[in-house]
Amino acid sequence: MSVRTRFAPSPTGTLHVGSARTALFNWLFAKHHQGTFILRIEDTDQKRSQSVFLQDIQESLAYLGIAADEGPVFQSQRLPLYQQAVERLLSSGEAVREEGAVIFQVKPQSVSFNDLIHGTITVETSLFERLVLMKSDGTPTYNFACVVDDADMRISHVIRGDDHIANTPKQVVLYQALGLPLPLFAHIPLIVGADRARLSKRTGATAVADYRAVGYLPEAFVNYLALLGWSPGGNRELVPTEELIQLFDLTRARKTAAQFDQQKLDWLNGQYLKRTSAEQLAGLFEERLRSHGLLSNHVDKAWLARIAVLLKDRLKTLQDLEEEHTFFFTDAVQYQEESVAQFLRKPGVADFLRGLKERLSAMQTFDTPVVEAATRGLIAERQLQPKDAIHPVRVALTGRSVSPPLFETMSILGRERVLNRLDHAANHLAQ
Ligand code: GLU
């Protein structure tokens, strides 16, 4: 049997982390089995479906690298198919019209299906006597359209969230009435926040777009999502996408809720940042800085790559770039008030900064060892404690009391910027 899975979002909201995880599991399962992954847009609710949400879903999936082999297929364009199925159930007498709607009359019975994660589930249909197939506005209900489509698209495995587990027996009844073969089902556990309640905006970001905006690397985010409710075994955590595909298997999916762990995501992202080459990282920096208006038109790639090497092990996400390291890219340095007060407004500091400016303006080159030797030379001549000189220079150049290693930072900033900032700090800040 060839494996065919689908992801079936309704474009009534942005792509939620939980839905993204569902999409990922379907995609990984299909890829693992050399199967087909289909994107189906469940947009029959015209009032709540919006094109901005569709766009968000598609962009978020693209960011994650989850590409559909078939689709997107839109339910709103398949109404005749649902209509045909309804006619069959009406003519067999299993469904009836009621006030413009079509209702399926459920016979009292117990229905069972085999869930790949939860085992056999048996439910009495007395729990859901009436099943609406078509609403009075002529659109199908979720349960009905889902069955017609999953059968028509020859879906082999329906992998979806636990929140649908109560719908599945209703769908099984409809498969039976339509004489259609059942797919296999796998209901994956919900994702909960740190408070063990369903992941919500209250406890953190829930939209994939938010994580993308913060600058999580797609591969890190995918790795993290895969671990939410699944494990490759052997306590492994760092699993690149190619390996996820090789290893993915529903038998290792967990039954119980998966807790979203921001620290683990940050850690994983750091691991992937470390493994990214300086050139690739420079490319990501460029894209990000441009979108934040922090780069002039011409940027020296080699210069960005130097910054990448310096920051690689320090960044948690790409957002740290514009939050903590803008001093590399703009002369409008943001000085932290408490750092200025603590390190610059001290007797002797202005004088030292002026001396350093003079010393550095005489340098032939501005390589890191040259800058370091010149600065340390002046510190020794003035008989200062290195820390009493280095902290003020750091604040003068970066606006902050914590920065990447100072001399390399100075060399990257370049002579002109360094001299201007030393001058500004000596004459305006250190008073
Ligand atoms: N449109 C449904 C949802 O977004 C699809 C559920 C399913 O996978 O059957 O929850």
Side-chain angles (χ1 to χ4, degrees):
M1 175 184 65
S2 73
V3 166
R4 291 173 63 83
T5 64
R6 85 315 190 259
F7 175 53
S10 306
T12 54
T14 52
L15 188 71
H16 185 278
V17 170
S19 303
R21 196 265 321 246
T22 299
L24 179 64
F25 279 24
N26 276 285
W27 182 78
L28 288 173
F29 189 77
K31 295 293 125 185
H32 178 86
H33 292 282
Q34 280 108 38
T36 305
F37 170 72
I38 301 161
L39 178 61
R40 181 171 79 220
I41 306 298
E42 303 209 323
D43 59 347
T44 56
D45 187 340
Q46 297 286 350
K47 279 201 274 317
R48 292 176 55 224
S49 298
Q50 290 185 32
S51 58
V52 281
F53 295 137
L54 174 62
Q55 193 178 340
D56 172 87
I57 291 167
Q58 291 186 304
E59 282 172 8
S60 297
L61 290 175
Y63 155 69
L64 297 172
I66 299 177
D69 303 305
E70 288 179 19
V73 175
F74 293 86
Q75 284 192 327
S76 60
Q77 293 169 8
R78 296 162 61 85
L79 296 178
L81 200 69
Y82 314 127
Q83 202 58 52
Q84 275 168 25
V86 149
E87 294 302 335
R88 281 172 55 199
L89 295 173
L90 281 168
S91 54
S92 71
E94 283 164 289
V96 293
R97 285 190 200 279
E98 261 179 44
E99 291 167 24
V102 180
I103 314 286
F104 182 82
Q105 289 171 310
V106 184
K107 292 185 214 68
Q109 56 167 314
S110 48
V111 262
S112 289
F113 63 93
N114 185 30
D115 185 291
L116 293 174
I117 295 169
H118 299 272
T120 303
I121 295 179
T122 306
V123 175
E124 297 301 321
T125 57
S126 52
L127 290 172
F128 52 86
E129 265 162 38
R130 270 160 56 100
L131 265 180
V132 180
L133 303 180
M134 290 287 219
K135 292 177 261 180
S136 53
D137 65 2
T139 59
T141 57
Y142 155 68
N143 277 319
F144 183 54
C146 184
V147 167
V148 173
D149 279 341
D150 284 340
D152 182 69
M153 296 172 176
R154 304 185 323 280
I155 300 300
S156 62
H157 295 74
V158 170
I159 304 168
R160 61 187 167 204
D162 254 356
D163 50 335
H164 283 289
I165 214 159
N167 282 320
T168 305
K170 300 179 186 174
Q171 297 185 4
V172 170
V173 166
L174 296 176
Y175 278 100
Q176 289 169 348
L178 290 163
L180 298 167
L182 285 184
L184 293 167
F185 293 98
H187 291 92
I188 53 184
L190 286 184
I191 300 173
V192 296
D195 56 359
R196 306 289 313 165
R198 192 183 175 143
L199 193 64
S200 75
K201 291 213 169 104
R202 213 162 30 78
T203 44
T206 54
V208 171
D210 295 334
Y211 290 91
R212 180 183 175 202
V214 170
Y216 287 96
L217 299 180
E219 216 184 18
F221 198 66
V222 161
N223 186 157
Y224 181 68
L225 282 180
L227 300 179
L228 283 173
W230 176 82
S231 134
N235 284 334
R236 276 199 65 193
E237 304 209 297
L238 194 85
V239 192
T241 310
E242 274 312 308
E243 250 182 289
L244 286 175
I245 292 174
Q246 279 166 29
L247 297 171
F248 193 77
D249 171 1
L250 283 171
T251 60
R252 273 205 286 259
R254 290 178 12 170
K255 281 194 182 58
T256 51
Q259 192 167 1
F260 196 87
D261 179 347
Q262 183 70 44
Q263 276 171 357
K264 189 151 142 189
L265 170 60
D266 288 346
W267 174 79
L268 268 175
N269 200 56
Q271 296 299 311
Y272 279 92
L273 279 170
K274 277 197 185 70
R275 286 166 172 72
T276 307
S277 73
E279 288 67 33
Q280 264 177 301
L281 206 51
L284 294 173
F285 283 6
E286 184 174 356
E287 204 179 302
R288 179 145 190 118
L289 292 164
R290 273 200 204 293
S291 70
H292 285 79
L294 283 166
L295 274 193
S296 56
N297 281 341
H298 292 289
V299 64
D300 179 356
K301 296 254 186 316
W303 180 73
L304 273 183
R306 277 185 82 187
I307 300 179
V309 171
L310 189 67
L311 298 189
K312 218 168 158 150
D313 294 342
R314 303 177 68 93
L315 297 180
K316 214 166 59 190
T317 66
L318 292 179
Q319 190 176 51
D320 294 346
L321 193 62
E322 79 263 3
E323 289 197 339
E324 292 166 24
H325 303 93
T326 44
F327 60 84
F328 278 119
F329 313 103
T330 171
D331 287 321
V333 177
Q334 309 226 315
Y335 295 93
Q336 291 174 330
E337 181 45 41
E338 62 294 2
S339 306
V340 169
Q342 191 183 349
F343 297 111
L344 290 183
R345 281 192 212 116
K346 272 172 127 178
V349 164
D351 191 49
F352 176 77
L353 296 178
R354 280 189 203 106
L356 183 62
K357 183 191 159 195
E358 214 177 288
R359 182 78 41 120
L360 293 175
S361 62
M363 299 285 99
Q364 295 294 321
T365 73
F366 219 67
D367 296 341
T368 306
V370 172
V371 172
E372 174 161 8
T375 309
R376 290 202 189 279
L378 186 66
I379 291 171
E381 275 171 39
R382 303 247 172 139
Q383 298 186 325
L384 296 169
Q385 290 291 325
K387 68 171 171 37
D388 292 337
I390 284 177
H391 284 309
V393 173
R394 187 189 306 284
V395 177
L397 299 179
T398 70
R400 310 170 61 88
S401 51
V402 177
S403 82
L406 183 64
F407 300 115
E408 176 69 359
T409 298
M410 289 169 80
S411 171
I412 291 174
L413 280 172
R415 188 195 322 252
E416 197 187 317
R417 278 184 157 165
V418 168
L419 298 187
N420 286 341
R421 289 180 197 182
L422 289 175
D423 187 71
H424 175 75
N427 296 319
H428 299 282
L429 301 172
Q431 305 295 332

